[in-house]
Amino acid sequence: MDPEPVNFVTSALLPILLIVPLFDILSYIGLMPWIIKWVGRGLSAVTRQPRFESFFAVEMMFLGNTEALAISKAQLQAISARRNATVAIMSMSCVSAALVGAYVQLVPGEFVLTAIPLNCINALLVASILYPVPVSEEEDTIVTVGGADGGGHEVDAEAVARYEALPLRRRLVTRRPDAPEREPFFSFLGDSVLEAGKVILIVLANVIAFVALAALIDRLLALVSPGLSLEAILGVALFPLAWLLGLEPSTAYDMSQLMGLKLVTNEFVVMGQVTSSIGGLADHYQAVLTVFLTSFANFSTAGMVVGCFKGLVDEERNLIVARNVWRMMLSGVLVSLLSAGMVGLFVW
C-alpha cells in the first residue's frame, strides 16, 4: 500500500483536535449559528440553495472537508439524511486554506487561487444536479446549542414580549426567555474534544481501508497484465473529457493519465511530478491542469468523508452517504472539469 496518501491524510486530520473545539465554543456562545444563519441567508439568495448548504460550500473552501463537517455536527444531525448526502457530495470538491501556500509553490498560483472559488460555486451546482433534494422553508433552519434558530423550551409569551421591548443595549446582555438550555461549558468542551478524537480515529481507519482497496486492485490488475493499474484505466476513461478541455490528443492523453493518478493518490503526488516541467507547458494546458488538480477529489478523500459521517451522524444518515460514494467521486471529477473548462476558456 502506498503510504503517501495515508501520510498526507494523517497530517491533515491533526488540526481537527484544535479547530473542532474552537468552533464548538463559538457555537456554544451562539456566534457560529448566527454567522451561518445570516451569511447563509445571503448566499442562499444568490445560489437558490438552502442556507446551510450555501454556507458549507464557503466554509469547506477555507477549512477543508473533515474540519467543516466536524464543526457542523449539530446541523448534520438535524437535517434530513438526503441533505447529508448532498453535503457529502459537495465535500469532494474542497481544499484547505492551510494548503494553498504549498500548492502555489508547486504549480502556478494564479490558477490555484482562481480554482478555489470556482470549485465552491460548482460544487453547489453539481450536487444539486446529481442529487436534487427539495428543502422547504420550514426545514431550512440553523441549529444552535439546544435548539434550532434559537428555539428552545416552552416559555410564557409575555416574557418574550417583555424581552423584545427592552432597548438593544439591554438585550445584548440579557438572556432570551426562549433561549435553549445549555449544559455546563466545561462538560460541553470535554465532549467536543472526545468527539474530535473519535472522528480522527474513524476517518483514519476508513482512509487506510480505501487506500488499501485501491492498492489491492492495482496488484490484481498487475497479475492480469504488467503495467496495468487503476490509474491507467481511469486515465484512458478520462481521455475524452480531457480532450474536450481543448487540448491536442497527445496532450489530452498525458493530462488524462495525470487525472487518473490524482484520483487514485492525491493532488500533491501529481503536483510534485509536474512542478519542474509545468512552466514550459502551453498556457492553456497549465491553466486546465492546475485547476483540475486544485481539489481534494480522490479515493482517500471519499474514505475521509465516509469516515467523518460515520463518527458524526446516526446509522440512517451514514447509510445514505455510503450509498452515494459513486456520486461523490463523480461530483469531484465533474466539478474539477467544470472549473478547469471555465478557466480554460479565457487562457490560451
Side-chain angles (χ1 to χ4, degrees), residues 16-26 71 188-189 192-193 196:
I16 292 180
L17 284 175
L18 175 63
I19 292 175
V20 172
L22 174 61
F23 277 83
D24 278 348
I25 291 172
L26 296 179
I71 67 177
F188 175 83
L189 183 60
S192 175
V193 174

Side-chain angles (χ1 to χ4, degrees), residues 205-283:
N206 274 268
V207 171
I208 292 173
F210 270 67
V211 174
L213 178 60
L216 175 62
I217 294 173
D218 273 348
R219 296 293 178 88
L220 294 176
L221 291 173
L223 293 176
V224 176
S225 174
L228 187 62
S229 64
L230 184 59
E231 53 262 38
I233 294 174
L234 289 172
V236 173
L238 292 169
F239 169 74
L241 299 176
W243 178 69
L244 288 174
L245 292 174
L247 301 171
E248 295 292 332
S250 59
T251 306
Y253 181 78
D254 291 339
M255 178 165 175
S256 67
Q257 295 299 303
L258 294 174
M259 293 161 66
L261 179 61
K262 188 234 180 183
L263 292 177
V264 175
T265 57
N266 61 55
E267 70 277 10
F268 273 109
V269 173
V270 183
M271 288 180 180
Q273 286 193 9
V274 304
T275 185
S276 60
S277 59
I278 195 168
L281 302 176
D283 290 345

Side-chain angles (χ1 to χ4, degrees), residues 45-312:
V46 176
T47 63
R48 301 299 179 183
Q49 297 299 312
R51 282 184 288 171
F52 173 67
E53 283 85 335
S54 299
F55 183 83
F56 184 82
V58 178
E59 186 179 40
M60 70 179 183
M61 181 173 68
F62 294 100
L63 296 178
N65 46 20
T66 50
E67 292 88 345
L69 288 169
I71 67 177
S72 303
K73 176 183 177 181
Q75 189 71 42
L76 294 173
Q77 292 175 338
I79 62 178
S80 68
R82 296 193 66 203
R83 289 180 68 187
N84 273 257
T86 299
V87 171
I89 292 169
M90 291 168 54
S91 298
M92 293 296 293
S93 302
C94 75
V95 297
S96 173
L99 298 177
V100 173
Y103 290 159
V104 300
Q105 298 296 317
L106 299 172
V107 291
E110 62 271 25
F111 299 132
V112 171
L113 297 178
T114 303
I116 293 172
L118 282 179
N119 287 346
C120 166
I121 297 169
N122 290 332
L124 272 170
L125 175 64
V126 172
S128 65
I129 294 173
L130 288 180
Y131 200 73
V133 180
V135 179
S136 66
E137 188 174 345
E138 292 74 19
E139 294 176 298
D140 192 13
T141 58
I142 303 301
V143 172
T144 60
V145 177
D149 275 344
H153 53 282
E154 295 279 341
V155 296
D156 188 357
E158 292 183 4
V160 177
R162 287 195 298 271
Y163 172 84
E164 296 292 347
L166 291 174
L168 178 60
R169 65 180 184 277
R170 292 283 305 280
R171 275 184 284 162
L172 291 175
V173 295
T174 304
R175 187 173 181 274
R176 288 184 62 92
D178 58 343
E181 294 292 337
R182 297 180 296 186
E183 65 178 304
F185 173 75
F186 287 104
S187 173
F188 175 83
L189 183 60
D191 289 342
S192 175
V193 174
L194 289 174
E195 287 291 338
K198 183 177 75 171
V199 167
I200 289 176
L201 293 175
I202 293 175
V203 170
L204 186 57
N206 274 268
V207 171
I208 292 173
F210 270 67
V211 174
L213 178 60
L216 175 62
I217 294 173
D218 273 348
R219 296 293 178 88
L220 294 176
L221 291 173
L223 293 176
V224 176
S225 174
L228 187 62
S229 64
L230 184 59
E231 53 262 38
I233 294 174
L234 289 172
V236 173
L238 292 169
F239 169 74
L241 299 176
W243 178 69
L244 288 174
L245 292 174
L247 301 171
E248 295 292 332
S250 59
T251 306
Y253 181 78
D254 291 339
M255 178 165 175
S256 67
Q257 295 299 303
L258 294 174
M259 293 161 66
L261 179 61
K262 188 234 180 183
L263 292 177
V264 175
T265 57
N266 61 55
E267 70 277 10
F268 273 109
V269 173
V270 183
M271 288 180 180
Q273 286 193 9
V274 304
T275 185
S276 60
S277 59
I278 195 168
L281 302 176
D283 290 345
H284 181 73
Y285 187 20
Q286 285 188 43
V288 296
L289 177 59
T290 301
V291 173
F292 183 89
L293 294 179
T294 308
S295 78
F296 286 172
N298 54 60
F299 285 117
S300 59
T301 296
M304 291 173 68
V305 173
V306 171
C308 205
F309 275 91
K310 188 76 172 177
L312 295 173

